[in-house]
Amino acid sequence: MPALHCIIYIACTGVLFFFLGRILPRNLINADNPLLRVRPWEQKLFTLLRLPAWQNKVPDMSRIFKKLMPPKKLEGNPSNETLLTMIKEACVAEIIHTLLCLTGLWCLKLWPGLWGVVVTLVYILIGNFPFILIQRYNRPRMMKLAERKRAVSEKRFVSEAHRGVLILSANTGEGHNACAKAIKEVYDRNGEPCDIIDGLSFYSLTVSKIVSWTHTFMYRYMPGFFAWAYGASEKKRTAGNFATFFAKRAAEHLYAFLLDRDYDTLIFVHVFPALLAAAMKEEFDALGIKSCFVATDHTCSPTVELSNADRYFIPDAMYTDEFVKGNITRDRIVASGIPVRSAFYTHTDRATARAKFGIPENARHLLVMGGSMGCKSVIRVVDRLAFHLKPDQYVTIICGNNKKLEKKLGKRFSVLKRVRVLGFVSDVSTLMDSADLYLTKPGGLSTTESAVKGLPMVLIDTVAACERYNMLYYTMQFAAVTAKENHELANLCRRMLDTPAWTQRMRESCLSLPRNNAAAIIRDTMNALKSGEANA
């Protein structure tokens, strides 16, 4: 019988306190009350208990009694009034569950002994305590959002409510990070706060490292599979569904991160963080933050149409129709070019540049890069070329972050004094000024940097995928040449080094291309959008 007494008691107190919660005067509720105020140390507890992962899986009475209780889940774009109501409801829910915990101790009286202790603990720790934690986790977030919305309504949006720009990149090659740094450079120069964060880290740092390693491994050792996967994603929408599914898993982490910081602009230089922010908008609220996507390749990449940004900055106006076909409206598209650092818009005279890197002034200089991840095909071409150089021809190979490749090539070409192997070089701009020709893979950033510098390119179609569109763009503009086989590429390099008139014509073609300072255009456009000078 003690068990039945406990069940009846728990049921009766549950019904009683449910109606007490409904009739409790809301004007008496104050979320800033010391008993309801959430302490900073509690955030560590929420993280330790992995509360965000399971909070939506517990029963919610507001879903069961929709006519009696307002919703407690933050969805869509709630008004400030709705938020204030939800904050008070969260306070009421915490109060009621706290009282139920206290009254639940009476079960020890109704059922003395071990089983009474077990029932009481289960009732308190499983039946009530998790709901208290959920209210204390969500309420501060709703209060911050309400404050943001109040600031917007009082037209203090730009000057007080939000400050700063957040650029979300991805650890899938240095090109995206280089683009992010170029944009940040412009904001820094104008004294505007700007941060760069790896968008993949909103899953976890472990996930970011795994994705980065997998991407690098496939790029270096499985380029055929890499190209196949990209091609498949272009043809099938399933890739977008897959990416969106995973983006939704991390959307709440991004939302919580933004609630705690004063950002008014989000800039995506990779499609994943763009999808992550789109999922956040769908599940939660845009927080009044303007966003934009910056294309780093000469194409509209798969899943970009799902990103739902306010502006899309594309490499060239010729791709506008392609983005429009991807469900991006024309009014959101800006032909800015691909952002590169300001150093590439400056020019160091050839004699000075060559003196810095030890290249004779009258020599013909071939610069070789395989990207930050290195490139086997680039090295195969150099192999066919290096041992047939003429006395006035020099080759500089940049291995980037690939230390293993740098060591390997250093040994291979150690007997050739006119072939130098370098690791990561910070002053690439001056190095380009010293070169007559550039052998590289067609990455979006590396080709843009070369074109801005007026440096002719020999492009190696190593991975295809999105990079083949960059190659097509520059070969069509006579700023680059390419060939299918390694020995053909080596012959091209040799012939071009022997023909200064050829490289000079290509240099002029490079310099005739649009040389917009894309980073400055992005900053000016987004600042105008925030201040209302452009149609939002």
Side-chain angles (χ1 to χ4, degrees):
M1 291 302 290
L4 180 60
H5 291 161
C6 286
I7 292 173
I8 294 174
Y9 173 75
I10 289 172
C12 290
T13 54
V15 172
L16 175 63
F17 279 103
F18 173 79
F19 285 105
L20 176 62
R22 293 303 89 219
I23 64 175
L24 189 67
R26 297 311 192 253
N27 61 326
L28 298 178
I29 303 297
N30 181 7
D32 288 325
N33 185 289
L35 295 176
L36 294 172
R37 191 179 305 142
V38 179
R39 271 59 178 181
W41 62 265
E42 293 183 63
Q43 297 299 328
K44 296 181 180 179
L45 176 63
F46 300 146
T47 302
L48 180 65
L49 296 175
R50 299 179 63 85
L51 193 149
W54 55 261
Q55 67 164 333
N56 293 326
K57 298 178 182 179
V58 301
D60 184 352
M61 296 296 287
S62 66
R63 297 175 185 172
I64 301 173
F65 301 103
K66 295 182 179 180
K67 294 184 178 180
L68 294 176
M69 303 177 68
K72 293 187 179 68
K73 180 176 172 57
L74 190 63
E75 295 179 338
N77 187 11
S79 65
N80 203 46
E81 292 74 16
T82 300
L83 283 169
L84 295 176
T85 298
M86 294 172 69
I87 291 168
K88 288 186 179 292
E89 287 299 319
C91 292
V92 170
E94 181 180 335
I95 292 170
I96 296 303
H97 282 288
T98 302
L99 292 175
L100 286 172
C101 287
L102 296 174
T103 57
L105 296 173
W106 188 253
C107 289
L108 296 172
K109 179 73 173 177
L110 295 175
W111 195 350
L114 177 62
W115 284 108
V117 173
V118 171
V119 169
T120 303
L121 289 176
V122 169
Y123 179 62
I124 292 175
L125 296 180
I126 297 179
N128 288 287
F129 190 63
F131 297 92
I132 295 173
L133 292 177
I134 289 171
Q135 309 313 319
R136 296 183 72 80
Y137 172 72
N138 287 316
R139 192 165 60 245
R141 299 163 63 197
M142 291 189 287
M143 293 172 69
K144 290 176 183 177
L145 181 55
E147 172 58 26
R148 284 178 179 268
K149 287 185 173 289
R150 185 178 66 82
V152 172
S153 66
E154 294 177 3
K155 297 183 179 179
R156 295 189 290 111
F157 180 83
V158 174
S159 60
E160 296 181 31
H162 293 185
R163 302 183 183 92
V165 176
L166 177 62
I167 304 175
L168 293 178
S169 185
N171 278 336
T172 54
E174 188 56 29
H176 301 290
N177 292 331
C179 176
K181 292 173 184 176
I183 298 170
K184 175 176 168 57
E185 182 184 63
V186 172
Y187 280 101
D188 289 346
R189 191 163 57 242
N190 286 277
E192 300 172 49
C194 181
D195 299 319
I196 300 174
I197 292 181
D198 173 23
L200 293 168
S201 66
F202 288 102
Y203 276 118
S204 70
L205 292 176
T206 301
V207 169
S208 177
K209 290 178 181 178
I210 291 173
V211 172
S212 176
W213 182 88
T214 303
H215 180 274
T216 303
F217 180 85
M218 290 175 59
Y219 194 102
R220 287 179 180 170
Y221 305 109
M222 303 173 64
F225 180 80
F226 189 97
W228 174 85
Y230 185 89
S233 67
E234 286 184 306
K235 296 176 182 178
K236 298 181 180 180
R237 186 63 176 267
T238 52
N241 297 335
F242 183 77
T244 302
F245 172 81
F246 279 98
K248 287 182 177 180
R249 307 284 78 76
E252 186 169 0
H253 295 242
L254 175 61
Y255 179 74
F257 178 86
L258 293 175
L259 270 178
D260 289 334
R261 291 158 179 83
D262 292 329
Y263 293 116
D264 63 1
T265 305
L266 289 178
I267 300 176
F268 317 118
V269 296
H270 189 280
V271 71
F272 173 77
L275 295 178
L276 177 60
M280 182 195 74
K281 286 183 182 180
E282 182 179 342
E283 292 288 318
F284 303 103
D285 183 80
L287 299 175
I289 300 177
K290 299 300 182 183
S291 65
C292 69
F293 173 77
V294 181
T296 56
D297 292 292
H298 288 76
T299 184
C300 181
S301 300
T303 71
V304 167
E305 73 275 5
L306 304 175
S307 56
N308 192 27
D310 295 301
R311 290 291 182 270
Y312 291 80
F313 295 95
I314 65 175
D316 194 289
M318 66 186 293
Y319 300 108
T320 299
D321 289 340
E322 183 179 347
F323 277 79
V324 170
K325 289 179 182 178
N327 296 322
I328 310 298
T329 54
R330 289 183 184 273
D331 60 305
R332 292 186 289 164
I333 299 173
V334 179
S336 61
I338 296 176
V340 298
R341 289 181 290 115
S342 60
F344 290 95
Y345 292 96
T346 62
H347 179 74
T348 303
D349 69 88
R350 178 164 299 193
T352 303
R354 292 193 167 189
K356 178 175 180 178
F357 289 97
I359 304 294
E361 187 173 348
N362 296 322
R364 297 287 287 169
H365 183 204
L366 171 65
L367 175 62
V368 181
M369 286 193 196
S372 63
M373 294 179 287
C375 177
K376 282 188 174 181
S377 295
V378 172
I379 304 312
R380 293 192 185 105
V381 175
V382 176
D383 262 342
R384 293 176 176 271
L385 176 68
F387 293 94
H388 301 284
L389 292 174
K390 292 183 178 180
D392 64 339
Q393 295 175 348
Y394 283 72
V395 175
T396 301
I397 306 172
I398 307 300
C399 298
N401 296 321
N402 195 334
K403 298 295 183 183
K404 183 178 179 180
L405 180 64
E406 180 185 356
K407 184 177 180 180
K408 180 179 179 180
L409 295 182
K411 290 182 179 179
R412 180 180 303 180
F413 299 124
S414 59
V415 297
L416 300 177
K417 301 302 181 183
R418 295 192 303 279
V419 177
R420 291 100 48 76
V421 179
L422 305 178
F424 183 82
V425 175
S426 58
D427 191 7
V428 176
S429 173
T430 303
L431 184 57
M432 284 185 169
D433 285 327
S434 74
D436 298 288
L437 188 62
Y438 185 30
L439 173 65
T440 186
K441 68 183 187 65
L445 266 292
S446 56
T447 51
T448 302
E449 290 168 352
S450 182
V452 169
K453 297 297 289 184
L455 179 59
M457 294 170 273
V458 176
L459 299 178
I460 306 176
D461 189 13
T462 56
V463 183
C466 56
E467 292 188 350
R468 73 175 181 270
Y469 297 107
N470 303 324
M471 185 176 67
L472 287 171
Y473 176 79
Y474 284 108
T475 53
M476 287 171 55
Q477 306 294 336
F478 194 58
V481 294
T482 187
K484 290 185 178 181
E485 303 296 333
N486 292 334
H487 71 275
E488 294 174 338
L489 289 163
N491 288 335
L492 261 179
C493 292
R494 192 177 297 111
R495 287 161 52 202
M496 293 179 74
L497 288 174
D498 284 339
T499 316
W502 188 354
T503 54
Q504 180 58 33
R505 287 197 303 272
M506 290 182 66
R507 183 181 297 275
E508 292 169 359
S509 296
C510 287
L511 295 175
S512 68
L513 294 173
R515 301 178 76 248
N516 302 327
N517 189 330
I521 292 174
I522 291 169
R523 171 192 169 268
D524 294 343
T525 302
M526 296 309 294
N527 282 352
L529 184 63
K530 288 185 299 183
S531 62
E533 295 173 14
N535 293 326

